[in-house]
């Protein structure tokens, strides 16, 4: 039994001063799916054609096609078509890759302290966050195959897709590491 006062407390949603944050979770070992818990009134951007399932009230969901930096990304053969999903009620969304059985997902949580550069053209798969910025930058320091990077800055969650297993390596100050550029998925910047 819940008192009427408690029933009338507003529920959290993705907008307003006390907004709930979307929750991303890579599923499986290796992680071949991403589960996203999307609060009401939040925006989610997913790679076109990646939706596996959706659990929620379909009448509350709005889906529109979105282009991400079409000129720069088009010139570099980087995916530009994303679907923007917004819902009036909370929903759970499951995403999967259509390209290869060897693709794996990893989730980045950005807290505003560090930006990330994604070096793989197809690396950014989904993102959500009220202050998350996703933009394309040309980086002449990278090899020709990876010279168009995606810059992630602000606060939010991002699902990244890689060919093969994903490993996180922390390089401390004063240390260095040599990595084949084709194997590098993303790195943090300040």
């Amino acid at each position: 039994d819940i008192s009427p006062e408690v029933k009338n407390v507003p529920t959290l949603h993705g907008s307003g001063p006390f907004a709930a944050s979307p929750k991303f979770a890579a599923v499986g070992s290796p992680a071949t799916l991403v589960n996203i818990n999307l609060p009401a009134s939040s925006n989610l951007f997913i790679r076109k054609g990646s939706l596996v399932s959706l659990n929620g009230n379909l009448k509350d969901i709005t889906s529109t096609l979105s282009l991400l930096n079409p000129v720069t990304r088009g010139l570099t053969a980087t995916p530009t078509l994303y679907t923007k999903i917004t819902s009036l009620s909370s929903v759970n969304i499951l995403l999967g890759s259509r390209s290869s059985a060897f693709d794996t997902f990893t989730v980045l949580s950005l807290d505003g302290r560090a930006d990330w550069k994604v070096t793989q053209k197809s690396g950014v798969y989904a993102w959500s966050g009220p202050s998350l910025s996703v933009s394309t930058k040309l980086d002449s320091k990278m090899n020709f195959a990876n010279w168009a990077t995606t810059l992630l800055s602000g606060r939010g969650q991002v699902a990244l897709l890689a060919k093969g297993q994903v490993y996180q390596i922390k390089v401390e100050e004063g240390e260095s590491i040599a990595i084949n550029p084709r194997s590098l998925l993303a790195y943090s910047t300040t």
Side-chain angles (χ1 to χ4, degrees):
D1 293 334
I2 299 175
S3 70
E5 292 81 20
V6 173
K7 285 183 183 179
N8 292 331
V9 171
T11 57
L12 292 177
H13 50 79
S15 62
F18 304 106
S21 298
K23 304 283 189 259
F24 286 46
V27 179
S29 182
T32 56
L33 299 169
V34 175
N35 181 49
I36 301 170
N37 182 323
L38 188 67
S41 302
S42 294
N43 293 322
L44 171 68
F45 294 87
I46 63 173
R47 178 91 47 85
K48 186 178 180 307
S50 64
L51 184 66
V52 173
S53 68
L54 188 138
N55 183 11
N57 188 347
L58 294 178
K59 293 179 183 177
D60 290 346
I61 297 170
T62 303
S63 171
T64 56
L65 193 59
S66 178
L67 292 172
L68 177 64
N69 307 119
V71 174
T72 307
R73 293 175 77 88
L75 290 172
T76 59
T78 307
T80 60
L81 290 176
Y82 288 84
T83 302
K84 178 182 175 183
I85 296 175
T86 306
S87 179
L88 297 174
S89 59
S90 64
V91 295
N92 280 326
I93 296 171
L94 193 62
L95 303 179
S97 169
R98 299 182 318 171
S99 55
S100 169
F102 301 108
D103 290 349
T104 58
F105 288 99
T106 190
V107 175
L108 277 180
S109 294
L110 283 81
D111 60 6
R113 290 185 283 178
D115 297 340
W116 282 80
K117 280 191 177 181
V118 181
T119 62
Q120 299 294 317
K121 291 181 182 180
S122 298
V124 176
Y125 213 75
W127 72 91
S128 183
S131 66
L132 184 63
S133 171
V134 179
S135 59
T136 304
K137 303 290 181 196
L138 300 179
D139 190 351
S140 60
K141 294 177 186 174
M142 297 299 290
N143 69 347
F144 181 71
N146 297 349
W147 65 282
T149 61
T150 302
L151 179 64
L152 307 170
S153 60
R155 296 173 187 260
Q157 299 248 304
V158 182
L160 299 178
L161 180 71
K163 303 286 183 207
Q165 189 66 35
V166 177
Y167 298 97
Q168 180 179 354
I169 301 171
K170 185 171 184 173
V171 181
E172 298 292 340
E173 187 174 339
E175 294 181 336
S176 63
I177 188 170
I179 298 176
N180 183 328
R182 292 184 308 219
S183 299
L184 182 62
L185 175 61
Y187 60 93
S188 63
T189 64
T190 54

